[in-house]
């Protein structure tokens, strides 16, 4: 069964600090892995998308990594800002399926 | 550029009443369209998807139905709402079918059934 597990479930950090969110998956076959940011009460917005051959991809202060051998991905946020407070969702794509993680709720505190 | 609009943003309905959520996409032709539901503490659940006008695939049997009367219009409906239908509904579109294509979401519709 295809599954995407995210950790931690929630996280509180101080403004300006860095943090790393984890995503483990068992989706097979694998097509790509995406990270989305979802502000409360809004639709998810894509941050990064990585295929099998990509190990890292950046989008501003967001850097995603992918280890296709261990089926793990991480999202690193540098110098966090209050606006980073949101849910971060890992989504793994097979050839014809999308499997969503439950998300990590991040709160950046002043 | 492509945009996706979804409405209403919030809706409070009594049990047994009908439902209609609408979604439209602009700036693209023949998009693949999706309806998702997001319950608190749970991942997004795919409800329906459509690859063309009048073509609807249901992923989860339930009290809801979907229709695609026009190429860029996707409607989520119910004849009689249940308490369990409460949730956050998201419309999305992609340029390609299957799982490989980029998925773009609308702003969501919060439904509360009382």
């Amino acid at each position: 069964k295809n599954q995407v597990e995210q950790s931690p479930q929630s996280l509180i950090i101080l403004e300006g600090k860095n943090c790393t969110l984890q995503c483990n998956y068992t989706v097979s076959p694998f097509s790509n892995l995406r990270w989305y940011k979802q502000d409360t009460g809004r639709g998810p917005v894509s941050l990064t998308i990585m295929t099998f051959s990509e190990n890292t991809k950046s989008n501003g202060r967001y850097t995603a990594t992918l280890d296709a051998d261990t089926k793990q991905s991480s999202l690193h946020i540098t110098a966090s800002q209050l606006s980073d407070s949101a849910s971060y969702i890992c989504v793994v794509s097979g050839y014809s399926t999308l499997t969503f993680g439950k998300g990590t709720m991040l709160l950046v505190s002043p | 550029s492509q945009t996706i609009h979804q409405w209403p943003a919030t809706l409070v309905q009594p049990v047994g009443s009908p439902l209609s959520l609408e979604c439209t996409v602009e700036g693209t032709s023949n998009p693949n369209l999706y309806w998702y539901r997001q319950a608190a503490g749970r991942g997004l659940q795919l409800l329906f998807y459509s690859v063309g006008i009048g073509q609807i695939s249901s992923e989860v049997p339930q009290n809801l139905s979907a229709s695609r009367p026009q190429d860029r219009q996707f409607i989520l409906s119910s004849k009689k709402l249940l308490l369990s239908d409460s949730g956050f509904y998201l419309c999305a579109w992609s340029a390609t079918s299957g799982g490989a294509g980029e998925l773009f979401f609308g702003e969501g519709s919060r439904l509360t059934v009382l």
Side-chain angles (χ1 to χ4, degrees):
Chain A
K1 179 181 179 181
N2 291 337
Q3 286 187 317
V4 175
E5 299 290 339
Q6 290 188 245
S7 62
Q9 185 174 2
S10 61
L11 181 63
I12 301 175
I13 62 173
L14 291 175
E15 185 179 11
K17 298 296 185 182
N18 304 334
C19 68
T20 300
L21 313 180
Q22 300 290 341
C23 173
N24 297 338
Y25 62 93
T26 60
V27 175
S28 182
F30 174 87
S31 178
N32 60 62
L33 185 145
R34 316 156 191 204
W35 283 94
Y36 284 86
K37 178 187 179 188
Q38 185 178 20
D39 293 323
T40 301
R42 307 289 294 274
V45 175
S46 178
L47 294 174
T48 64
I49 180 169
M50 290 183 291
T51 60
F52 182 88
S53 60
E54 296 176 293
N55 299 118
T56 185
K57 182 164 283 188
S58 293
N59 179 358
R61 293 180 295 102
Y62 301 100
T63 299
T65 64
L66 173 64
D67 186 333
D69 292 330
T70 62
K71 298 187 177 181
Q72 296 179 327
S73 175
S74 65
L75 180 68
H76 186 75
I77 304 175
T78 304
S80 61
Q81 300 176 359
L82 297 179
S83 59
D84 292 330
S85 295
S87 178
Y88 292 84
I89 302 172
C90 177
V91 183
V92 181
S93 170
Y95 291 153
S96 61
T97 62
L98 281 178
T99 305
F100 290 80
K102 295 181 180 180
T104 292
M105 180 65 68
L106 174 65
L107 176 62
V108 180
S109 176
Chain B
S1 62
Q2 301 88 3
T3 57
I4 178 169
H5 302 283
Q6 185 180 341
W7 70 92
T10 59
L11 196 59
V12 180
Q13 293 285 99
V15 170
S17 65
L19 170 73
S20 180
L21 300 179
E22 191 163 340
C23 172
T24 59
V25 179
E26 297 177 356
T28 187
S29 297
N30 197 31
N32 296 285
L33 297 172
Y34 308 83
W35 278 111
Y36 287 89
R37 178 166 57 200
Q38 187 176 35
R42 302 180 64 179
L44 273 71
Q45 178 188 34
L46 179 62
L47 302 177
F48 301 94
Y49 69 92
S50 171
V51 298
I53 296 174
Q55 302 178 59
I56 309 295
S57 297
S58 174
E59 290 295 303
V60 181
Q62 59 212 317
N63 184 44
L64 303 170
S65 62
S67 62
R68 185 170 177 173
Q70 300 181 42
D71 180 45
R72 291 170 289 176
Q73 184 185 28
F74 205 24
I75 298 171
L76 183 68
S77 304
S78 174
K79 292 183 179 179
K80 291 185 177 181
L81 284 168
L82 306 173
L83 287 174
S84 58
D85 291 324
S86 293
F88 191 56
Y89 290 83
L90 288 159
C91 181
W93 76 274
S94 67
T96 58
S97 59
E102 180 79 43
L103 197 60
F104 301 93
F105 289 90
E107 287 299 304
S109 297
R110 172 75 60 189
L111 171 65
T112 302
V113 183
L114 302 175

